[in-house]
Amino acid sequence: MENATMQTRALSFLNTPSNGNLSLDNGIVPAGTGKVEAGTVMGKLTANKKHFVPSPHAEVAGVEGAEVACAVLAYGVNATTSDVEVSFVDRDAEVKLPMLAYHASVDDQAKMDAKIEQLDAVGIRAR
């Protein structure tokens, strides 16, 4: 029998959304991004305003703009070989800080704090 690893449940990171669907928007995780779990802090690409990728610590060639966190991925996706349409929490919401996931380059507390400040600037409060 194989050991099973439980994945992050969709929206389990969301503490308090705004009324209705005001906290959610749709976008695309582009092909080549790979597997991304629910609760990942995302940034928007400058080249295509509907494309989102995990928000790196600093600007990265090919994903310019994504270094500024502006959303949290609602559902886990596999965008290894094709674009995936997804939902994001992008405003007027409280999220559970311990349940957020980050790009691999966001690897210390100061970098995580910077991402939390960026989310706060768009109305996503992490507690």
Side-chain angles (χ1 to χ4, degrees):
M1 185 170 171
E2 287 185 39
N3 288 339
T5 301
M6 183 176 249
Q7 295 181 340
T8 305
R9 289 188 335 238
L11 294 171
S12 62
F13 65 88
L14 187 58
N15 194 25
T16 310
S18 187
N19 288 334
N21 290 325
L22 295 175
S23 297
L24 297 174
D25 200 359
N26 296 319
I28 296 170
V29 176
T33 303
K35 293 180 180 179
V36 187
E37 67 181 280
T40 298
V41 176
M42 306 293 279
K44 187 184 309 184
L45 301 184
T46 303
N48 186 327
K49 300 286 188 195
K50 287 302 259 178
H51 284 194
F52 292 77
V53 297
S55 183
H57 166 63
E59 186 174 310
V60 175
V63 292
E64 290 85 357
E67 69 276 3
V68 178
C70 64
V72 181
L73 185 63
Y75 304 92
V77 299
N78 184 350
T80 302
T81 59
S82 60
D83 291 357
V84 179
E85 291 186 41
V86 293
S87 293
F88 296 95
V89 173
D90 70 345
R91 63 185 157 276
D92 297 332
E94 290 179 323
V95 296
K96 299 171 187 170
L97 183 60
M99 296 186 82
L100 296 180
Y102 303 90
H103 184 273
S105 66
V106 181
D107 56 4
D108 64 35
Q109 193 61 50
K111 293 173 185 174
M112 289 178 202
D113 290 346
K115 294 297 169 194
I116 298 309
E117 286 181 27
Q118 292 166 1
L119 290 176
D120 192 57
V122 295
I124 301 171
R125 178 78 39 96
R127 299 186 188 273

